[in-house]
Every structure is written in structure tokens, then in C-alpha cells.
Amino acid sequence: MGRNTSRFAVRTVFVAILLAMMLLLQACSSKSTPSSPDTSTLFDCRTVTEIPKAECKALVALYSSLGGETYWPPSSGAGWLKTNAPCYWDQAAVQCENGHVVSIRLAEKGLMGMIPPEIGNLTNLQTLDLNSNRIGGNIPPEIGNLVNLQDFNLSNNQLSGSIPPEIGKLTNLKLLDLDSNQLSGNIPPEIGKLVNLQTLGLFLDGSIPPEIGNLVNLQTLYLWGLSGSIPPEIGNLTNLKTLSIKANVGQGLSGSIPPEIGNLVNVQDFDLSQNQLSGNIPPEIGKLTNLTRLELRYNQLSGSIPPEIGNLVNVQDFDLSNNQLSGSIPPHLGNLVNVQRLDLRNNHLSGSFPLELVNLAKDSLIIALIDNELSGSIPPGFCGQRTHSNMSIMVDTEELKCE
């Protein structure tokens, strides 16, 4: 009997210790991974009748996840969660039409936190603008439910992870701006389904898919930090007016500039600077006669400057500096009569200063030719007593002398 009592006591102590350890582990776990706030305690959406309860819950979740009262002073309206009319909580931030939330604009509010998955409840949303805040975490895949979205701006935040492939469901998008975040990975090929897109801005470290060529209505394309090559399908974007694909110096795109860029006949601003592009400048670049700005600086481009570049008679800012270009300066550059800045510095250009460049002389003109292998003399009017004020000609005086 005594032995049985002793064994029972030992077992009781063991069970008690085991239960205590389990409770301790559960407490530690709850501290290390806090659960998302219970929005039902913040506001009871069952009292709301002007919009669906699911949309009300999305607004409450957004409010709770991105800082609530700490960061959300209302611009105008009754105040968040103050009445059973969500469309009047902050009329500057939230707009409703026909009993649905159609617009959320909360840019530059200092918001912190993460975008909640309940955002996918706002299926009638047309505008979502949360740019220039401090929002982190991933873009939730539920974003793919916002099939009526037209303007989607999350730029200048601290978002991380990859762009969810569900983004391809937003086929009504006209603007997609995810620039200046901490996103990583490739541009998802599903982006090629956004055929109504007019403006696209992304900051990633992956590659450009060929499906980008499906975005035939695109007018502005701004990409930063990407690697890999430029797909030839980029030539399908014939409505482009601005093309900017850049990276930090020593990083970025590699390979050659595809000749298909000659199809971009409407482009005015063309910037592929600060990449690792190599090979020749394609002569097809001469077809871009609407260009006002051409930036190819800080690459590894080689060979001669194609004479077709003289067709760019509307260009004002022309920069091929810091490459490995060789050969002579083509006299055709004298056709660029609207140029304000002509920068060819730090290449391997040789030969003489073309007389045809005299055609470019004007007030405030800047021509930079230093760190090349040029020789001979500079034509009159470019040095000494000049006929134009504020004109700057930057050359190596040991190589080029004034006449």
C-alpha cells in the first residue's frame, strides 16, 4: 500500500511539472508571435448599412494594422470608428459610390504596420494610394481580389518579399507603382496580363520577363535595380514616352541594347544609365526622333557612336559618358541643334574635334570631352573670345588646343 501511494505521488508531481512546462511554453509562444488584433472589439460592423459588412471589416482592419489613432488623424469627417457610417469617417481618405468603397488615399501619413489580408474584401475599389509611408511586410495575395482597381500606388514604403503573382488579376489597372521599397525577386510573368497599364514603376533585383511586351498601352516605364538582359519584346511598347531602367553603378542589366528599341518612336525620355550593358549602340536608336533626353552613361558600351544618332534633332540632354566607346566623334552630332548638354567624357574616343559641332554653339551649352584620346585644335568660337555667354567646353588642354 505504501509503495502504491509513493508511486501515485511521484506521478502526480510529474504530471504537475509537465503541465507547468506546457503552460510556460504556450505563454512564451504567445509573446514571440503575437496574434493580429481582434478588430471586432474595435468596431462592430453589424451596425453598418451603407456599405457591405465585409468592406467595413476591411476598413477597420486597415485602420488597426496601420497604426490606428496614433497615425490616423482624420483630414475631414467624423473620425475613424466614431459612427456607423464608414464613408464619413474621413472623407478626404475614403470615398464611396453606390454603396461601396471605391477609393482609399492615405499617402504621406507616416503610417506603420502591414497591409491586412482583409484588403481583398474591397472588390469595388478603384484607387488604393498608400505611397510615402513606412508600411512593411509582404503585399498580401488577397490583393488579387481587387479586380476593379485602376490606380495602385504603394511606392516609397518598406515593403519586402516578392510581388505576388495574383497581381495579374488586376486587369483594369492603369497605374502600378511599387517603386522605392525593399521588394525582391523577378517581375512576375503575370504582369503581362495588365494590358491596360499606362504607368509602371518597380524596384526589384530580379529579371524582366518577356511578357512585359504585352503592355502595349504603357506610356511610362520606370524600373530600378533589375538584372539580366533587356528582352527584345520591349520593342512592342510603341506608346512609351518615358523609359527608365537604372541601377546602382556596377549593378543592373547586362547584355546588349536590343535593336528592337528602334520601334519606340514615341519615346521622349530614354534612360538606361548605371547598368552593365555592353556591345555597340544599335543604329536603330536613330529612329527615336522624338527624344529630348538620351542617357546611356555608366555602362560598358563599346564600338563607335553610330552616325544615325545625328537624327535625334530634338534631343536636349545627351549623355554617353563613362563607357568604352572608341573611334572618332561623328560629324553628324552637329545636327543636334537643340542640345543643351553633350557629354562624351571618359571614353576612348580619338581623332579631332569635328568642325560640325560649331552648329551647336549657343548660350548655356555644355560640351564635355575630357578623359578621351582626342587631338588637334578646337574651332574658333568654342574657346577664347566666345560669341555666346555661359557656354562651357570641357576638354583636356594637353590634347586639344585653341586655334
Side-chain angles (χ1 to χ4, degrees), residues 88-105:
Y88 295 91
W89 288 347
D90 187 347
Q91 292 170 275
V94 177
Q95 294 180 0
C96 301
E97 290 180 6
N98 301 319
H100 293 284
V101 179
V102 295
S103 177
I104 296 178
R105 299 179 186 273

Side-chain angles (χ1 to χ4, degrees), residues 139 161-165 167 178 182-191 200 202-212 223-229 253:
I139 300 173
S162 58
I163 298 175
I167 201 94
L178 305 178
Q182 300 167 20
L183 296 167
S184 58
N186 299 328
I187 299 176
E190 289 82 2
I191 208 143
L200 176 61
L202 301 175
F203 190 134
L204 291 166
D205 58 7
S207 59
I208 305 173
E211 287 83 359
I212 202 163
L223 305 176
W224 182 279
L226 291 158
S227 58
S229 60
L253 299 170

Side-chain angles (χ1 to χ4, degrees), residues 338-369:
N338 289 297
V339 74
Q340 295 289 334
R341 186 175 72 96
L342 178 65
D343 197 341
L344 302 176
R345 77 182 85 185
N346 197 18
N347 279 288
H348 303 296
L349 298 170
S350 58
S352 60
F353 190 107
L355 291 173
E356 289 79 3
L357 294 190
V358 174
N359 299 335
L360 310 182
K362 62 175 73 68
D363 292 344
S364 303
L365 173 69
I366 298 175
I367 296 181
L369 302 176

Side-chain angles (χ1 to χ4, degrees), residues 5 20 51-52 54 66 70 87-88 106 112 125 128-129 173 216 225 230-231 237 313 351 380:
T5 303
I51 60 174
L66 297 183
T70 307
C87 297
Y88 295 91
L106 287 165
M112 298 178 65
L125 203 62
L128 179 58
D129 187 355
L173 273 185
V216 293
I230 301 175
L237 310 182
V313 294

